[in-house]
Amino acid sequence: MRPEALNSLFVEVEALEGVGPKLRKPLEKLGLTRIRDLAYHLPDRFVERRAITNLDEAGIGENVIVALTVREHRSPSGRGPFRIIAEDVAGNICTVTYFGRASYTGKKQLPVGETRWVAGRIDQYGQMLQIVHPEHVSEDSAAPVGQLCEAVYPLSEGLTQGRAAALVAQAIKGLPDLPEWIEPGLIAKTGWPIWREALVEAHRGVNGPARDRLAYDELFANALALMLVRESNRSQRGTPLAGDGSLRAKLKLPFALTGAQARSIGEIEGDLAQPSPMLRLLQGDVGSGKTVVALTSMLIAVEAGAQAALLAPTEILARQHYETLSRMLQGTGVEIALLTGRDKGKAREAILMGLLGGTIQIVVGTHAIFQDSVAYKNLALVVIDEQHRFGVGQRLMLARKGRRTPHTLAMTATPIPRTLTLAQYGEMEVSKLDELPPGRQAIDTRVVAVERMDDVVGALSRHIESGQQAYWVCPMVNESETDDLAAAEARYAALKERFGDTVALVHGQLRPEVKDAAMERFARGEAKLLVATTVIEVGVDVPNSTLMVIEQAERFGLAQLHQLRGRVGRGSGKSTCLLLRGNQLSETGRQRLALMRETQDGFRLAEEDLQLRGGGELLGTRQSGDTPFRIASLEQITKLLPLAHDDARLLIERDGGLSGPRGDAARLLLYLFERDWGVQLLRSG
Ligand code: ADP
Ligand code: MG
């Protein structure tokens, strides 16, 4: 149960004045559904304005507040704008200009003969100064202050700056006082304000300490929750799994394991034999061979008489995993099943019976495999592919499926930097596949200006004629971004005109059946060219596809480009990756593309990515889920996460955890950042 002290923060935004059904959607789009969310809706930046009396003091492009007296209204002749001629105290003329419907507002706010404070940006218009659509107009008064520094909030369609500011102000006004959860020594050292003040200050102006404190709170909540998970895990009983090797011996692999694979399997085998449940992360670049490590681990469980489950983030991937594993398991006698949300009726019933009765030993699926209606006879190992797509909380739900806590192996193909590993996984044990299987060829990576589109299509055409397949990736910030979706559809249409029915399309807004059908056509080789958004980023494996074109490559982060490129170079043939770049390339954009050409080492690219990030020019920097944080920036993560981590450890190991003197405050924090799975786990464990 959420502590009462937080109740007022978790009230729905509808309770605020001026929030009706019309604002709901724009707010929801920004994730702002409760007072708490609004309070934490921090400004992107601030506009600084200078109050001036004489326009001669203003520079062109400067944001100012100035008192202007209105001389004349000039209605447009034809389709021109509405202009208001005004002057300052010194008689300098300034035009205040309005386009379209805004003219009515202007007319009302700036009546002829009156003096008003006008806030806006000074531009030059011919020989005259002008302010277009002033941001504020207010009655003449002695003090224009209060608007000198104004927050600029992230917006969505239907939410204006003024509205956002007003709502945030309401949310901030009623903030409760909360006890301090940060270690007193750290507060003393940093001089950070208390929580409530930090929130107020962060909306008021650029304030490093306030922003840092808020970021720290978030990082601390996360570190603490993860550490509670680990603690609880240690105290829990699992099933020690010792296989006799009989099934593993029946696996007929067409290759020898790499050293890294053998080492990782050894580490996992060691964990599985323990009575406390495993919590291990398998980190390995695309193509490093995680599948066989997962399969071997699951076979150990089956040898020991238990069941294993493999959880994939999407249906496409679940299906692909299922097919790969089924093929590898031929001749072993192991029963494997696929369960996704699409299975209905009799087929689904049969799988559920098999899981309950234990005749199905390995199940592969999407989150459907841990719905309430799915019961297992003896689930002892859960393998999660692409763990970062799921919250840790979800993983725990899954973990409760067995009577005893199952062992967990999380696999990620994203070689994230070390700091982020800690942020996302806490102190999980890590196995690294830092060695690619032998015989892989380097992917020939080139940067091509978008003007050379015709050449690219020509090369694509020769490629397809030679019997090979290709990917064409279009950027999409998130699946609801209509512009990007339209661009992808348009590209698909254009390529289809050229290449006919051999072109397939997948993107996140297609129905799963349609998406799967397209993928299957491509996997079977019927489709030669797959036009896709980043949904192909993880997992898809078509070795005959040896060319990848990435449009607007500069909009992607390095890590994401690397993930995408990993889709080619999977067979023995030579592979090529063409990075199409637009003609407005920023310096970091240029550096990123250069790095892509230079190296294929995922761990290195991940570190460089972190260095180059920032500025928000990238696809999905905020919403990509590559950090689990909403407040803390990448810089703050790097700077503050180690502190938060140490503090969490101190709290648990020295200060009595949630039952010690700081415990109540820490519990508030966990609920505040919705890391309460940490608390709940502690109770049930
Ligand atoms: P990941 O899931 O880590 O991206 P996969 O498990 O899909 O990688 O493996 C990529 C490809 O490499 C597959 O075709 C797989 O059969 C092959 N492979 C895996 N391990 C080895 C190995 N030790 N030697 C040669 N090929 C391997
Ligand atoms: Mg894989």
Side-chain angles (χ1 to χ4, degrees):
M1 273 277 284
R2 182 191 310 133
E4 264 176 40
L6 297 178
N7 281 354
S8 63
L9 286 165
F10 282 84
V11 170
E12 303 283 312
V13 286
E14 272 89 344
L16 291 178
E17 219 166 289
V19 183
K22 244 175 81 187
L23 261 188
R24 240 186 84 130
K25 232 177 150 180
L27 289 175
E28 227 165 60
K29 203 160 174 210
L30 293 163
L32 309 176
T33 59
R34 298 148 313 174
I35 304 290
R36 175 216 170 276
D37 309 326
L38 275 173
Y40 274 107
H41 191 53
L42 301 182
D44 274 338
R45 59 194 171 86
F46 292 88
V47 186
E48 299 278 350
R49 297 201 186 92
R50 203 154 60 91
I52 54 173
T53 48
N54 189 329
L55 283 166
D56 287 339
E57 297 167 33
I60 300 299
E62 192 180 3
N63 289 298
V64 300
I65 297 183
V66 61
L68 296 176
T69 306
V70 180
R71 291 290 166 237
E72 185 191 341
H73 284 182
R74 271 191 207 156
S75 291
S77 52
R79 296 174 54 90
F82 175 65
R83 293 185 197 281
I84 292 174
I85 312 300
E87 63 182 48
D88 67 7
V89 285
N92 294 308
I93 297 292
C94 178
T95 309
V96 184
T97 306
Y98 293 89
F99 292 89
R101 296 182 52 119
S103 312
Y104 300 109
T105 318
K107 212 175 265 179
K108 238 181 28 218
Q109 289 185 331
L110 292 165
V112 175
E114 300 283 318
T115 303
R116 294 284 184 272
W117 286 104
V118 179
R121 215 179 75 127
I122 299 286
D123 289 325
Q124 186 137 26
Y125 173 68
Q127 291 305 308
M128 254 190 300
L129 297 177
Q130 87 169 345
I131 296 175
V132 180
H133 288 189
E135 282 152 77
H136 299 284
V137 175
S138 57
E139 301 264 326
D140 185 14
S141 79
V145 278
Q147 289 159 5
L148 283 180
C149 173
E150 193 171 50
V152 180
Y153 289 103
L155 300 177
S156 61
E157 202 182 317
L159 180 68
T160 61
Q161 235 7 291
R163 243 319 152 60
L167 292 178
V168 167
Q170 278 193 68
I172 291 292
K173 212 164 60 193
L175 289 181
D177 271 313
L178 298 179
E180 186 56 81
W181 43 74
I182 300 180
E183 224 269 320
L186 185 59
I187 290 281
K189 206 168 73 193
T190 54
W192 284 339
I194 61 165
W195 172 76
R196 193 165 55 84
E197 228 164 80
L199 266 177
V200 172
E201 292 301 321
H203 287 283
R204 202 175 272 167
V206 180
N207 186 324
R211 284 292 277 244
D212 278 356
R213 193 234 142 96
L214 298 177
Y216 180 85
D217 286 346
E218 185 179 39
L219 296 169
F220 183 42
N222 194 65
L224 187 58
L226 286 169
M227 218 166 282
L228 288 169
V229 169
R230 193 199 55 168
E231 287 300 302
S232 137
N233 210 65
R234 278 191 184 155
S235 67
Q236 221 137 93
R237 273 198 331 155
T239 314
L241 301 171
D244 58 7
S246 57
L247 292 173
R248 280 170 279 170
K250 287 188 195 157
L251 265 193
K252 288 191 194 65
L253 295 178
F255 48 73
L257 294 178
T258 64
Q261 283 170 326
R263 191 184 64 233
S264 299
I265 290 171
E267 287 162 356
I268 292 164
E269 194 173 9
D271 283 1
L272 292 177
Q274 303 301 315
S276 67
M278 168 171 81
L279 204 53
R280 183 174 283 276
L281 178 67
L282 179 66
Q283 243 186 341
D285 219 331
V286 216
S288 59
K290 291 183 292 297
T291 314
V292 67
V293 176
L295 178 60
T296 308
S297 312
M298 293 195 285
L299 285 181
I300 295 174
V302 177
E303 282 168 7
Q307 290 167 303
L310 190 153
L311 178 66
T314 65
E315 292 210 16
I316 294 178
L317 286 176
R319 196 166 299 279
Q320 202 157 59
H321 269 309
Y322 171 73
E323 274 155 22
T324 312
L325 296 182
S326 302
R327 230 178 300 125
M328 292 168 96
L329 283 171
Q330 261 164 32
T332 59
V334 173
E335 272 304 314
I336 180 169
L338 173 71
L339 182 63
T340 71
R342 275 167 62 198
D343 295 302
K344 299 265 146 61
K346 281 230 172 72
R348 181 180 152 84
E349 279 308 307
I351 295 170
L352 295 193
M353 289 305 290
L355 290 173
L356 186 62
T359 49
I360 295 173
Q361 292 150 311
I362 295 178
V363 65
V364 179
T366 54
H367 59 276
I369 63 176
F370 60 89
Q371 279 163 0
D372 281 343
S373 51
V374 184
Y376 293 84
K377 176 165 186 239
N378 187 7
L379 179 65
L381 169 65
V382 177
V383 180
I384 306 180
D385 196 14
E386 294 304 332
Q387 148 109 7
H388 67 285
R389 304 255 155 159
F390 302 99
V392 176
Q394 242 172 320
R395 184 180 60 70
L396 293 170
M397 262 161 63
L398 183 68
R400 296 217 184 105
K401 272 286 166 197
R403 249 178 315 125
R404 296 185 172 193
T405 307
H407 299 278
T408 304
L409 177 67
M411 305 197 290
T412 172
T414 321
I416 49 181
R418 250 182 33 81
T419 34
L420 290 189
T421 313
L422 199 62
Q424 253 153 258
Y425 305 103
E427 291 185 335
M428 263 170 123
E429 310 291 337
V430 177
S431 293
K432 264 189 185 183
L433 293 182
D434 47 12
E435 174 188 359
L436 287 182
R440 290 283 155 77
Q441 293 198 16
I443 298 164
D444 183 11
T445 303
R446 299 182 200 182
V447 181
V448 184
V450 67
E451 285 84 5
R452 292 182 48 206
M453 180 65 86
D454 287 350
D455 296 344
V456 171
V457 174
L460 178 62
S461 164
R462 289 190 295 280
H463 183 83
I464 290 175
E465 269 160 34
S466 79
Q468 301 173 81
Q469 291 164 279
Y471 298 105
W472 188 294
V473 182
C474 301
M476 187 170 305
V477 177
N478 59 49
E479 300 295 353
S480 60
E481 212 66 30
T482 42
D483 282 3
D484 282 337
L485 186 63
E489 298 264 11
R491 179 65 65 209
Y492 168 65
L495 289 168
K496 207 169 162 171
E497 201 148 290
R498 168 87 190 242
F499 296 106
D501 277 343
T502 63
V503 188
L505 173 71
V506 290
H507 60 68
Q509 295 208 345
L510 295 173
R511 275 179 299 132
E513 307 87 273
V514 179
K515 209 158 51 182
D516 283 6
M519 277 310 304
E520 270 166 42
R521 244 168 30 91
F522 187 69
R524 279 201 304 266
E526 288 164 28
K528 301 297 179 199
L529 177 61
L530 183 68
V531 179
T533 58
T534 44
V535 287
I536 60 158
E537 191 185 330
V538 274
V540 173
D541 191 7
V542 181
N544 187 45
S545 187
T546 48
L547 171 66
M548 173 171 284
V549 180
I550 304 179
E551 269 195 71
Q552 298 183 47
E554 73 276 8
R555 287 179 62 199
F556 293 89
L558 266 180
Q560 209 175 10
L561 285 174
H562 176 67
Q563 289 286 112
L564 286 167
R565 181 172 59 180
R567 297 302 112 215
V568 294
R570 306 209 123 208
S572 49
K574 176 173 163 291
S575 286
T576 307
C577 178
L578 301 179
L579 303 171
L580 291 191
R581 62 160 179 82
N583 32 34
Q584 275 163 355
L585 199 58
S586 72
E587 177 53 24
T588 47
R590 198 192 55 73
Q591 283 182 39
R592 271 198 300 271
L593 297 187
L595 272 161
M596 281 300 292
R597 238 178 9 213
E598 190 183 308
T599 180
Q600 235 161 284
D601 176 348
F603 286 98
R604 161 142 189 244
L605 287 170
E607 295 292 344
E608 301 274 2
D609 196 40
L610 189 61
Q611 301 295 317
L612 288 177
R613 213 85 78 87
E617 57 176 306
L618 282 187
L619 266 187
T621 7
R622 265 210 158 161
Q623 64 276 66
S624 71
D626 58 2
T627 92
F629 305 115
R630 293 189 59 168
I631 312 294
S633 67
L634 281 169
E635 294 78 55
Q636 285 170 322
I637 293 172
T638 317
K639 181 170 74 174
L640 300 173
L641 184 74
L643 284 179
H645 197 77
D646 290 347
D647 194 10
R649 196 203 313 268
L650 272 187
L651 178 64
I652 289 179
E653 289 175 2
R654 188 196 68 185
D655 298 346
L658 297 188
S659 357
R662 269 207 287 155
D664 284 336
R667 182 168 314 172
L668 284 179
L669 175 70
L670 289 173
Y671 276 97
L672 185 60
F673 281 100
E674 302 185 291
R675 301 297 203 271
D676 42 303
W677 35 265
V679 186
Q680 277 153 18
L681 193 75
L682 203 70
R683 186 166 309 123
S684 70

